[in-house]
Amino acid sequence: MQAIFDASLVIAHRRRALAQGVAGADFLMARAAEDLGERLSTVERSFERGAAIFSVSPAAAAVLAASGKVAELVRVEADQTFLGGGPGIVSDPETIALEPASIDIAVSLLALQEANDIPGQLIQIRRSLKPDGLFLGVLAGAGTLVELRESLLAAETEISGGASPRVIPLTDVRDAGGLLQRAGFALPVADVETVTVRYDTMFGLMADLRAMGVTSALADRSRKPATRRLFQRAAEIYAERFSDPDGRVRASFSFVWLSGWAPDASQQKPLKPGSAQVSLAEVLGAKVLGDDGKS
């Protein structure tokens, strides 16, 4: 399989961001962690062992610990730096170094969108779960940075007559649900939430992306440095197309949430075709006519 992302560059960007430590740059991760806590609060059970997978930030593990529902926690990261000196497992970014059926709950925050093989990672997560184990994760989905993508594309086409890939390809919510099924999860659910952030200019957005460590790490990226002219023109187009009445510009971030369970015999299963005790025609007839036989 041809790599979409340069995994070493993904790690380098994240390490640089952690080293710079720009205050407030983790606002999207903080939002994702808050949402994770709310979703976990609706799960009425406890878990013996949980894992936070490739989330870079300690936020995912912190949510599991704060829930009081997970007795033991382990972090799996692609680089020792991401563990911040704490305990955890360092694993190849395309391989989840967990034994089969070794955990009861797995979570992943804003990491899967930079995996070269999302289906493969989901399969690995499902295999690492014990029967009836839960996976909760969120990735940046289609619609994320759509304004930046359009502005850069328009500017580069205008200036050079062509365009290089500068914003990563992303998964939409329908495909995400299919990926959960393909990975073998039971009771799969995918939903989407859009977060809109406003900036004075496009350059404020780009500064935040660098501070998050999520600038493009495409394997097929152009090796030719982008010019100042390109970014200035892109910023002009961004302001023309995506500004509010007060002059500030919008940036969209699409959170695609995934949940699924490792299959287990105790789980609810759909009825087999033909096993219904009442026909659809009878139900519809009852609704149309009413109990007294009148329409």
Side-chain angles (χ1 to χ4, degrees):
M1 182 184 68
Q2 183 178 358
I4 300 172
F5 301 101
D6 181 337
S8 62
L9 189 57
V10 171
I11 293 173
H13 286 169
R14 297 296 182 98
R15 291 182 65 179
R16 181 182 62 189
L18 285 175
Q20 292 175 341
V22 176
D26 62 346
F27 67 93
L28 287 178
M29 180 62 72
R31 173 64 178 267
E34 181 181 352
D35 290 350
L36 174 64
E38 292 178 359
R39 290 167 184 267
L40 188 57
S41 69
T42 66
V43 180
E44 298 180 354
R45 59 173 289 185
S46 297
F47 304 91
E48 182 179 344
R49 189 167 188 250
I53 299 173
F54 295 149
S55 298
V56 181
S57 164
V63 170
L64 291 179
S67 72
K69 296 182 177 183
V70 184
E72 180 186 351
L73 291 170
V74 61
R75 288 182 61 191
V76 180
E77 297 291 357
D79 190 89
Q80 185 69 44
T81 307
F82 302 158
L83 293 171
I89 298 171
V90 177
S91 176
D92 179 271
E94 299 299 328
T95 305
I96 299 173
L98 292 171
E99 294 295 323
S102 62
I103 58 174
D104 302 280
I105 182 172
V107 299
S108 173
L109 297 185
L110 299 177
L112 281 168
Q113 71 275 354
E114 290 184 312
N116 278 308
D117 182 11
I118 297 177
Q121 288 221 355
L122 289 174
I123 289 170
Q124 291 181 65
I125 291 171
R126 194 260 302 159
R127 288 176 176 170
S128 72
L129 289 167
K130 297 176 185 177
D132 206 30
L134 173 63
F135 168 62
L136 287 172
V138 61
L139 68 156
T144 296
L145 299 178
V146 62
E147 304 91 350
L148 180 62
R149 185 192 306 269
E150 181 178 322
S151 300
L152 287 170
L153 177 62
E156 193 164 14
T157 301
E158 177 183 309
I159 291 170
S160 63
S164 302
R166 298 189 182 277
V167 180
I168 67 175
L170 296 166
T171 304
D172 69 24
V173 66
R174 290 170 297 181
D175 291 339
L179 290 175
L180 286 170
Q181 292 181 313
R182 178 177 169 186
F185 282 100
L187 309 174
V189 176
D191 62 90
V192 63
E193 176 186 5
T194 299
V195 177
T196 301
V197 184
R198 301 203 311 148
Y199 292 91
D200 290 336
T201 69
M202 184 192 81
F203 296 108
L205 166 62
M206 295 181 69
D208 266 359
L209 295 177
R210 285 193 296 272
M212 296 176 200
V214 294
T215 48
S216 177
L218 289 168
D220 195 30
R221 67 192 180 281
S222 173
R223 266 51 175 187
K224 183 179 179 180
T227 64
R228 179 178 298 180
R229 182 186 174 200
L230 169 64
F231 288 122
Q232 287 176 336
R233 182 59 185 136
E236 292 170 357
I237 293 172
Y238 204 124
E240 291 166 3
R241 300 183 183 182
F242 304 109
S243 62
D244 289 330
D246 63 0
R248 305 192 79 199
V249 298
R250 303 180 300 278
S252 301
F253 296 89
S254 178
F255 285 4
V256 175
W257 280 94
L258 309 174
S259 69
W261 297 81
D264 184 72
S266 66
Q267 293 165 347
Q268 288 184 322
K269 294 178 176 59
L271 294 174
K272 295 180 180 180
S275 62
Q277 300 299 311
V278 180
S279 72
L280 180 60
E282 291 176 357
V283 173
L284 293 176
K287 288 185 177 180
V288 172
L289 295 176
D291 293 336
D292 58 0
K294 297 179 181 179
S295 61

